[in-house]
Amino acid sequence: MSNQANVDFIVADARRIPLRQGSMNFIIALSLLEHIPRWSKVIEEVSRILDKGLIIIQLPNLYFIIEPHTKFPLLAYLPKSIRHRATQINNYDDLQFDCTLSNVTASIIKTKVLKLLGIYAYWHTGYKNAPTSLLRKILPPPSYFIIALKL
């Protein structure tokens, strides 16, 4: 008996997944959408390749008091030029601040083929590796899990 799984890996742009329509029945996207320009195209593509099945999308809260990728305070509320510079310094210049919980759920509903089943918040344990003791004491931002079904 072999302990090795027979798994194929595909590396592709999530906005153009090289799979047949209706070929998947379970899709997970963890911390993905906020890094993809025109992330709504990913929702469209997922609805295309999903047969009858489930999609789970996880999103961080980019609008939390401390942005979870860069640990920069109030980053989402700064003018776009300053925000862009701050994310470049931290090597996160691809963050899409329009990738919010409400925008993603609206995009799912807009497909008219995905049914929103629920939204769940997950609170992380803290910034244990944060550079200052103040940051270590701040409650970390939640991640949101969006679950949708294609019937």
Side-chain angles (χ1 to χ4, degrees), residues 26-151:
F26 186 61
I27 297 172
I28 301 174
L30 303 175
S31 294
L32 171 72
L33 295 183
E34 74 273 12
H35 296 282
I36 299 178
R38 299 180 336 270
W39 54 265
S40 62
K41 295 287 185 194
V42 176
I43 304 294
E44 293 171 16
E45 190 67 352
V46 162
S47 66
R48 181 189 69 80
I49 66 169
L50 196 61
D51 187 22
K52 294 177 182 172
L54 201 62
I55 170 92
I56 299 174
I57 299 170
Q58 180 267 330
L59 296 174
N61 184 349
L62 300 179
Y63 285 80
F64 193 71
I65 189 169
I66 304 287
E67 194 281 317
H69 294 84
T70 63
K71 312 293 188 275
F72 199 96
L74 303 171
L75 183 61
Y77 303 97
L78 295 175
K80 200 173 191 175
S81 60
I82 296 171
R83 184 174 65 209
H84 180 68
R85 184 68 184 128
T87 55
Q88 278 183 323
I89 290 168
N90 288 291
N91 293 320
Y92 284 106
D93 58 340
D94 62 346
L95 288 176
Q96 307 300 309
F97 285 88
D98 66 331
C99 187
T100 63
L101 181 62
S102 61
N103 287 346
V104 172
T105 54
S107 185
I108 288 170
I109 292 166
K110 185 180 171 185
T111 67
K112 297 184 179 171
V113 295
L114 294 173
K115 179 182 179 185
L116 190 62
L117 295 181
I119 300 168
Y120 304 92
Y122 172 78
W123 293 86
H124 299 275
T125 57
Y127 292 123
K128 47 188 162 180
N129 295 325
T132 67
S133 61
L134 174 62
L135 276 181
R136 278 187 230 111
K137 292 177 183 174
I138 293 175
L139 183 67
S143 283
Y144 299 107
F145 288 86
I146 303 167
I147 301 173
L149 182 67
K150 185 172 179 184
L151 302 172

